[in-house]
Amino acid sequence: KNQVEQSPQSLIILEGKNCTLQCNYTVSPFSNLRWYKQDTGRGPVSLTIMTFSENTKSNGRYTATLDADTKQSSLHITASQLSDSASYICVVSVQTGANNLFFGTGTRLTVIP
Amino acid sequence: EAQVTQNPRYLITVTGKKLTVTCSQNMNHEYMSWYRQDPGLGLRQIYYSMNVEVTDKGDVPEGYKVSRKEKRNFPLILESPSPNQTSLYFCASSPGHPTYNEQFFGPGTRLTVL
């Protein structure tokens, strides 16, 4: 069964600290994996996309990693800011089928001063 | 500004009263989609459209209708809303299939059905 699981469900960290969010998937055959950021009351916005051959990709203070062998991805946030408070959603695509996007339920991150 | 717009942003209605949520994009995207987002369930696709006059069911299409008469518009229709359709709805568009293309999401429509 194709599934995407994210952990933790929620996380509270102090401003300036680093954190890592996890995404494990059982999706097959794998095409790519995206991380989205969703601010409260807004639609999701893409942070990064990773394909099978990519291990690491950075977007400013956000760094995503992918281990296609263990089917795990992580999103590392460095020197967190209050504006990082949001939900982070992992979305995995498969290569076949019309409905081939699988969404995680997200990690709710709260950065406190 | 390139964007996806939805209207209304907030709606409270009663069971059985037909409603339409509009979605419009100004990026000339071919692919458009509707999602609902519920706590603990994440985003689930309702309907999608590969191009004008081409629509298909997503994972949770029951109780919804869509149409794609123009490339820029993709309205979501609830013919007879029920309380279990209370949810946060997002419209999204992408240049092609979202497997290989970034989806751009609208701001969301929070619907409450009493």
Side-chain angles (χ1 to χ4, degrees), chain B residues 12-89:
Chain B
I12 300 174
T13 189
V14 295
T15 299
K17 187 176 181 181
K18 181 180 179 179
L19 66 92
T20 299
V21 184
T22 65
C23 172
S24 183
Q25 50 94 4
N26 62 0
M27 296 170 279
N28 201 37
H29 285 170
E30 292 191 346
Y31 187 99
M32 297 186 74
S33 184
W34 275 103
Y35 294 89
R36 62 178 289 173
Q37 187 176 39
D38 302 290
L41 294 179
L43 285 157
R44 293 180 293 168
Q45 191 179 52
I46 302 171
Y47 269 94
Y48 64 94
S49 170
M50 297 287 284
N51 213 324
V52 175
E53 302 291 1
V54 181
T55 63
D56 209 343
K57 297 177 180 179
D59 297 318
V60 288
E62 294 77 20
Y64 304 95
K65 286 176 57 177
V66 294
S67 68
R68 186 93 182 271
K69 295 183 171 60
E70 307 166 281
K71 198 171 189 177
R72 63 183 294 128
N73 296 324
F74 190 45
L76 178 69
I77 303 157
L78 284 72
E79 294 270 3
S80 183
S82 62
N84 64 12
Q85 292 178 298
T86 293
S87 186
L88 181 57
Y89 291 86

Side-chain angles (χ1 to χ4, degrees), chain A:
Chain A
K1 182 180 177 183
N2 289 318
Q3 278 188 314
V4 177
E5 294 185 352
Q6 294 186 241
S7 62
Q9 278 191 325
S10 62
L11 182 62
I12 301 174
I13 62 172
L14 289 173
E15 186 179 11
K17 298 296 186 183
N18 304 334
C19 68
T20 300
L21 315 180
Q22 297 289 345
C23 175
N24 297 336
Y25 60 93
T26 59
V27 166
S28 181
F30 176 86
S31 178
N32 57 62
L33 184 149
R34 282 188 189 273
W35 283 95
Y36 282 88
K37 178 186 180 188
Q38 184 177 16
D39 292 317
T40 301
R42 308 284 292 272
V45 175
S46 180
L47 288 174
T48 184
I49 179 172
M50 303 196 71
T51 58
F52 187 87
S53 59
E54 296 174 306
N55 298 118
T56 303
K57 184 173 282 188
S58 292
N59 178 1
R61 294 179 297 101
Y62 300 99
T63 299
T65 65
L66 175 66
D67 185 334
D69 291 330
T70 61
K71 299 187 175 181
Q72 295 180 327
S73 177
S74 65
L75 181 69
H76 186 74
I77 304 174
T78 304
S80 61
Q81 300 176 358
L82 298 179
S83 60
D84 293 330
S85 295
S87 288
Y88 293 84
I89 302 170
C90 174
V91 184
V92 183
S93 299
V94 296
Q95 296 176 12
T96 58
N99 299 341
N100 59 351
L101 296 179
F102 295 89
F103 290 79
T105 55
T107 292
R108 176 68 201 176
L109 174 66
T110 302
V111 181
I112 58 176

